[in-house]
Every structure is written in structure tokens, then in C-alpha cells.
């Protein structure tokens, strides 16, 4: 009876240890998946920063072209031509600047959003994975400790039973001799 119970407890403890080890592996897999997602978000953030730099370069190029066109118009000396050219260039420049500002604003919003997502995902995933790993390790250590106690109890029970068997055999021999 007692040995059967200890063996059942032993098997139960082994199954519990296996379940905890599987849960730990699953937690590590999920943490890996979250790390990959964070890497992808960081790459998207880097691309958004590059796009921002390209937009700024375009704005500088447009300003340079405007300055150059204004300079050429001044050299030609035609006030009317200069006024028309300036007006056209200002309209074009204003329209392009407005479009680029809208695009830049969109990129900045996307950048801020991506940074927030990266920080939130990284912190949440790392914290959850760490907490779960600590919990699983604690449970694993407890299960191993219980398993060790059960093994010790089973060993003591086996020793006690062997002593009782030996004692019973001696008593039987003594009784047989007396008969």
C-alpha cells in the first residue's frame, strides 16, 4: 500500500517535472518570437529615420534650386521675368514644401508610434518571459525537492520492510525449531 502510493507520487512528480520543463521550453520559444518582432520593429524604425533624412535632403535641394533660379533671373535683369519666375517658383516651392511637411509629419508620427510599440513590446515581453521563467524554475525546483523526498521515503520504507522480513524469517525459524 505505502510503496504503491510512493511509486504513484514518484510518477506524478516526474510528470509534473516534465510538464514544467515543457512550459519552460514554450516560454523560451515565445520570448524568441517576441525578440524577432522587436528586431523587425527596430528595422522599420531605422527605415523611417532614413526616409526622414531623404525628405530633408529633398527640401534642401528645392531651396537650392529656388535660390539658383532667383539668382539667374536677377542676372537676366528682367523685372517682369523675374517676378513671374519668382511667383512660379514660390508657388511650386510652397506646394512642394507643404507636401513634404505633410509627409514628414506622417513619418514622425509613424516613428513615434513604432518607438512606443518597440518599447512596450520589449518591456512587456521581457518582463512576462522573465516572470514566467522564474515561476517555472521555482516550480521545477520544488518538484525536484519533492521527488527527492519521495525517493528517500521509499528507500526508508524498503529498508524497514526488509528489516521486518528478516525479523519475521528469524521468528519463523525459531518457531520451526521449537516444533
Amino acid at each position: 500500500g505505502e510503496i504503491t502510493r510512493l511509486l504513484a507520487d514518484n510518477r506524478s512528480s516526474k510528470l509534473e517535472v516534465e510538464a514544467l520543463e515543457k512550459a519552460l521550453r514554450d516560454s523560451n520559444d515565445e520570448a524568441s518570437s517576441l525578440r524577432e518582432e522587436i528586431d523587425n520593429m527596430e528595422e522599420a524604425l531605422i527605415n523611417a529615420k532614413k526616409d526622414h533624412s531623404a525628405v530633408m535632403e529633398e527640401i534642401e535641394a528645392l531651396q537650392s534650386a529656388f535660390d539658383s533660379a532667383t539668382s539667374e533671373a536677377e542676372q537676366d535683369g528682367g523685372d517682369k521675368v523675374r517676378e513671374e519666375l519668382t511667383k512660379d517658383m514660390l508657388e511650386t516651392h510652397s506646394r512642394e514644401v507643404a507636401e513634404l511637411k505633410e509627409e514628414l509629419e506622417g513619418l514622425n508620427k509613424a516613428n513615434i508610434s513604432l518607438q512606443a510599440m518597440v518599447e512596450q513590446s520589449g518591456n512587456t515581453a521581457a518582463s512576462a518571459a522573465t516572470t514566467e521563467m522564474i515561476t517555472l524554475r521555482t516550480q521545477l525546483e520544488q518538484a525536484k525537492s519533492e521527488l527527492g523526498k519521495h525517493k528517500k521515503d521509499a528507500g526508508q520504507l524498503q529498508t524497514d520492510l526488509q528489516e521486518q522480513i528478516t525479523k519475521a524469517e528469524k521468528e519463523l525459524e525459531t518457531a520451526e525449531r521449537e516444533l
Side-chain angles (χ1 to χ4, degrees), residues 55 58-59 62 96-105:
V55 167
E58 285 181 31
I59 289 174
L62 286 172
E96 289 175 347
V97 166
E99 289 171 2
L100 289 173
K101 281 184 179 179
E102 285 179 28
E103 186 178 340
L104 182 60
E105 188 175 313

Side-chain angles (χ1 to χ4, degrees), residues 24 27-28 30-31 34-35 124-134:
L24 183 60
S27 175
N28 285 338
E30 183 179 340
L34 290 170
R35 276 188 224 103
T124 302
S127 176
T130 301
T131 302
E132 181 151 349
M133 284 175 38
I134 290 170

Side-chain angles (χ1 to χ4, degrees), residues 18-158:
E18 289 173 6
L20 289 172
E21 288 174 340
K22 182 187 180 314
L24 183 60
R25 283 191 303 275
D26 292 346
S27 175
N28 285 338
D29 291 345
E30 183 179 340
S32 176
S33 172
L34 290 170
R35 276 188 224 103
E36 287 179 21
E37 185 176 328
I38 288 170
D39 290 343
N40 291 338
M41 288 181 175
E42 287 176 341
E43 187 175 324
L45 178 61
I46 290 168
N47 290 337
K49 286 180 179 180
K50 287 178 184 176
D51 290 345
H52 176 265
S53 294
V55 167
M56 294 307 294
E57 288 176 14
E58 285 181 31
I59 289 174
E60 289 176 16
L62 286 172
Q63 183 65 46
S64 175
F66 176 76
D67 292 342
S68 177
T70 303
S71 176
E72 285 179 24
E74 287 174 1
Q75 288 176 1
D76 289 343
D79 288 338
K80 193 164 189 148
V81 172
R82 188 176 337 143
E83 284 177 26
E84 278 299 313
L85 183 57
T86 301
K87 181 180 170 187
D88 288 344
M89 288 294 287
L90 279 174
E91 288 174 5
T92 302
H93 181 66
S94 294
R95 188 174 52 254
E96 289 175 347
V97 166
E99 289 171 2
L100 289 173
K101 281 184 179 179
E102 285 179 28
E103 186 178 340
L104 182 60
E105 188 175 313
L107 288 172
N108 279 332
K109 286 180 183 178
N111 185 15
I112 290 169
S113 176
L114 283 172
Q115 284 177 335
M117 286 172 60
V118 166
E119 288 176 16
Q120 184 180 12
S121 291
N123 293 341
T124 302
S127 176
T130 301
T131 302
E132 181 151 349
M133 284 175 38
I134 290 170
T135 301
L136 290 173
R137 283 192 177 127
T138 301
Q139 290 174 348
L140 180 61
E141 290 303 318
Q142 288 172 346
K144 284 180 179 179
S145 176
E146 282 184 38
L147 183 60
K149 288 177 187 175
H150 288 303
K151 283 182 179 179
K152 181 179 176 186
D153 289 346
Q156 184 61 43
L157 185 60
Q158 186 178 5

Side-chain angles (χ1 to χ4, degrees), residues 146-171:
E146 282 184 38
L147 183 60
K149 288 177 187 175
H150 288 303
K151 283 182 179 179
K152 181 179 176 186
D153 289 346
Q156 184 61 43
L157 185 60
Q158 186 178 5
T159 302
D160 291 347
L161 284 174
Q162 189 62 42
E163 287 174 0
Q164 287 177 2
I165 290 171
T166 303
K167 182 179 176 184
E169 286 175 344
K170 286 180 183 178
E171 287 176 3

